Amino acid sequence: MRISKFIKKLFIALLIGNISLFADANQLKTIQHKQRVTHEKIKRLKVLEHLEKNKLYKNQQRLEQASNNLQQSKNQYSNLEAQLAQMEKDLTASIAEFNKANVDMRKRIRQVYKNQRTGMFQLILTAKDLNSLLDVVYFEKIVLKKDYAKIVAVRAKSQKIALMKKSIEAKKIALAQSIQQINSQQKNIKYAIAQNQSMINKYKTDRKTYERAERELARQSASIQSMIARNRGSS
């Protein structure tokens, strides 16, 4: 009788022990599965973090290039403004010169016309000889030609300055548009950089969370394996 009871107790003990080992083995299997899943998530987050860092680096390079382009455009714009201011001065001076030459020529024409209409008789009387008379008339014609040539040259100069001024104004408008575009581009790049940094921080935070979970799962796995080993030894 006593032997039979002992066998029953032994059987029950072995049964309980096996059930416990089976439960521990299932729990270990579940934890190890979680470990694998967590480890894959960590690997994936590392890849995403690396890709985002590459995007950040490229965007930072783009921002630096845009900043350089913006500075160059601003320098060119300042130079054009200086050129335009000088052109304004030159054009004003040229117009004043043209107006003066025009007034002088009109006076000269009136003077010559007056000599021809009222002063010619007096000129004939006072002239020493025919050659002297012809010299005076020829001189007046030469003077008129020179005055006219001067007006033509000044007008051509004014037109040239006006065309250059128009060209510079067109370049200035184009540069202003370019500066506006670069400013807009910089704004978009800065926004992209902020997004990159935000995603990097998110991936890094998630990765650290999963790494802590992985260490905890490793600790639980080691604990259960140790428990299984002890239970098997006891069995």
Side-chain angles (χ1 to χ4, degrees), residues 119-129 132-133:
M120 184 60 70
F121 181 73
Q122 183 66 27
L123 183 63
I124 292 172
L125 292 177
T126 57
K128 294 180 179 180
D129 51 28
S132 298
L133 177 62

Side-chain angles (χ1 to χ4, degrees), residues 134-157:
L134 292 175
D135 287 342
V136 171
V137 174
Y138 177 76
F139 174 75
E140 288 178 344
K141 290 182 178 180
I142 291 297
V143 168
L144 287 178
K145 285 183 179 180
K146 286 183 177 180
D147 286 342
Y148 178 74
K150 183 178 179 181
I151 287 178
V152 171
V154 172
R155 183 174 62 183
K157 178 182 176 183

Side-chain angles (χ1 to χ4, degrees), residues 170-184:
K171 289 180 181 178
K172 187 179 172 184
I173 291 172
L175 264 177
Q177 292 175 346
S178 176
I179 289 172
Q180 185 177 2
Q181 290 174 354
I182 295 173
N183 281 327
S184 177

